[in-house]
Amino acid sequence: MERKLVSPVVIDDVQPIEGADLIEVATVKGWKLVIKKGEFVTGDHAVYCEIDSFLPVKEEFEFLRKSSFRRMGEQEGFRLKTMRMRGQISQGLLLPIRLLDGYTYQLGEDVSAHLGVVKYEPPMPAALGGIAKGNFPSFIPKTDEERIQNLSKEFESYKQHTFYVTEKLDGSSVTYYMNEGLFGVCSRNLDLEASEDNSFWKVAEKENIAAKLAALGKNIAIQGELIGEGIQGNAYGFRGQTARFFNAFDIDAYRYLGLEEFTALIASLDLQTVPILDLNYTLPATLDEMLTIADGASVLSPQGKSVEREGLVIRSTDRKISFKVISNKFLLNER
Ligand code: ATP
Ligand code: MN
Ligand code: MN
């Protein structure tokens, strides 16, 4: 699912911030953000821009220059990041509805194009690029996870489910598949031509993944996170690259394997899963608590050093519910 970066919303709440006279904290779904005092009140409609929005250089956004000016390739703009002001975490931006120029909007629809907002994407190293053989295969779902802040309505009903929790690794998504005898290596969005310089292919060779999948004798895909040198700053301090898997997909049945089947398969292939932190997890009372729980040290922290984990991925045992909880501590460190 494409992310709705910018959408008209109802402001769910506005509260004072202790010790601050000029600013207040607004709640929009599961998000908290700092606004100017009196700018909005509870119940107002506004245009909400999520973190990672890249706003165009326009007069009405110039107030963002000091905090948020960025280049993205050739483009200049303003990148919205997680911030902390007066101890209050602030994620995203609320803009007055009038910026939509009288457009008849629906709450929740994506209006990023109206404002010229795109997603901020950090530059991608060449070893993770490569030449596309084609688009991502249509017979396998792309990897993705919704943010818990956008599931605040569902949170209450999720409490009756039992979940398993894995650490969210900060790398690059990889899919390896064997379909009708054809082995494929895909990055997040592309099916990649074989290449010695490409990190996704290097790991496939090193781990002998084509042969391992072929030996299973069926059409199958495994999906994971590529981590290590040259990937997202390699906070884990790995030599070379490696993959940690979080999905196995039965292509013929068009279905993900359940947790037990999945872990058994990955073990039988002599590969590794992402760190599994809890197999019998129930949600805390509030979404705010959930966010605090996401903070913590990565299981993959290098010896003698503690690195902030990116967050958690939480899935119901039946796999019908799945979402990510990104650590705000991690986001505050992001550059
Ligand atoms: P966004 O949609 O928030 O802009 P994004 O979709 O580009 O960001 P991420 O925030 O990295 O990507 O979240 C989804 C990705 O998380 C998946 O595509 C997958 O590659 C990765 N991931 C890392 N660790 C895990 C894990 N333990 N379980 C599932 N996915 C994981
Ligand atoms: Mn996404
Ligand atoms: Mn990621």
Side-chain angles (χ1 to χ4, degrees):
M1 243 248 297
E2 271 306 298
R3 219 173 131 182
K4 282 188 210 157
L5 274 182
V6 185
S7 53
V9 295
V10 180
I11 298 173
D12 296 315
D13 192 33
V14 176
Q15 291 294 327
I17 297 171
E18 219 182 277
D21 299 333
L22 301 175
I23 54 177
E24 296 175 301
V25 57
T27 304
V28 174
K29 299 178 279 181
W31 300 101
K32 302 260 188 241
L33 71 155
V34 170
I35 58 172
K36 271 193 237 142
K37 191 166 190 166
E39 203 180 3
F40 298 101
V41 298
T42 304
D44 277 355
H45 286 196
V47 179
Y48 179 59
C49 307
E50 280 190 17
I51 49 171
D52 301 331
S53 292
F54 191 66
L55 286 78
V57 174
K58 282 189 193 164
E59 191 48 45
E60 58 264 42
F61 303 135
E62 277 301 319
F63 66 96
L64 291 168
R65 183 168 292 272
K66 211 178 141 209
S67 60
S68 315
F69 179 79
R70 260 304 169 102
R71 283 199 174 75
M72 181 169 72
E74 310 279 86
Q75 255 176 300
E76 297 191 333
F78 306 114
R79 184 226 170 153
L80 301 184
K81 277 183 43 167
T82 299
M83 295 194 293
R84 197 194 284 279
M85 289 159 87
R86 298 288 194 110
Q88 173 61 54
I89 199 116
S90 182
Q91 295 182 296
L93 175 69
L94 280 168
L95 295 166
I97 281 287
R98 65 175 154 72
L99 290 188
L100 294 180
D101 280 334
Y103 167 71
T104 331
Y105 60 87
Q106 292 200 321
L107 289 173
E109 78 171 296
D110 185 0
V111 294
S112 51
H114 285 77
L115 300 183
V117 176
V118 294
K119 185 174 166 194
Y120 176 78
E121 301 274 12
M124 200 209 284
L128 296 177
I131 299 165
K133 191 165 78 174
N135 287 329
F136 195 91
S138 57
F139 49 83
I140 309 167
K142 284 187 186 178
T143 65
D144 202 14
E145 295 296 334
E146 181 58 287
R147 285 170 196 259
I148 189 63
Q149 287 94 337
N150 292 330
L151 297 167
S152 55
K153 275 211 192 86
E154 288 83 356
F155 191 77
E156 226 18 71
S157 68
Y158 286 176
K159 286 186 191 168
Q160 50 197 302
H161 294 262
T162 307
F163 296 88
Y164 68 94
V165 180
T166 61
E167 181 178 327
K168 185 170 192 297
L169 299 179
D170 185 20
S172 202
S173 172
V174 64
T175 297
Y176 297 115
Y177 69 84
M178 183 60 77
N179 190 46
E180 309 296 341
L182 190 71
F183 177 62
V185 174
C186 309
S187 60
R188 184 77 185 278
N189 294 307
L190 298 171
D191 203 337
L192 299 170
E193 200 79 70
S195 146
E196 282 176 4
D197 308 320
N198 181 274
S199 300
F200 301 105
W201 273 97
K202 267 191 200 158
V203 170
E205 299 288 329
K206 192 179 74 178
E207 302 286 350
N208 204 16
I209 292 178
K212 286 176 179 173
L213 292 184
L216 295 173
K218 56 182 174 189
N219 298 325
I220 192 152
I222 53 176
Q223 300 182 302
E225 196 78 352
L226 205 78
I227 53 175
E229 273 177 65
I231 307 170
Q232 299 285 98
N234 190 20
Y236 313 111
F238 276 69
R239 282 272 196 87
Q241 294 86 24
T242 181
R244 294 286 186 274
F245 293 92
F246 48 75
N247 286 333
F249 187 75
D250 179 332
I251 294 172
D252 291 326
Y254 201 80
R255 128 193 127 79
Y256 281 111
L257 306 201
L259 175 64
E260 276 176 43
E261 252 181 308
F262 159 72
T263 50
L265 175 76
I266 296 300
S268 77
L269 298 175
D270 199 20
L271 297 170
Q272 283 176 276
T273 68
V274 291
I276 298 173
L277 305 181
D278 198 334
L279 286 169
N280 190 3
Y281 184 77
T282 46
L283 296 183
T286 66
L287 203 148
D288 280 351
E289 278 174 75
M290 185 77 261
L291 287 167
T292 306
I293 290 166
D295 292 338
S298 171
V299 170
L300 300 187
S301 293
Q303 276 248 303
K305 195 181 165 203
S306 168
V307 306
E308 214 54 70
R309 67 180 170 221
E310 187 187 358
L312 305 172
V313 173
I314 301 189
R315 287 182 176 163
S316 59
T317 313
D318 64 10
R319 227 185 166 297
K320 288 199 172 113
I321 305 170
S322 187
F323 57 85
K324 64 183 172 191
V325 190
I326 307 281
S327 158
N328 283 330
K329 274 196 181 159
F330 173 90
L331 288 174
L332 283 167
N333 286 339
E334 223 184 12
R335 31 160 281 110

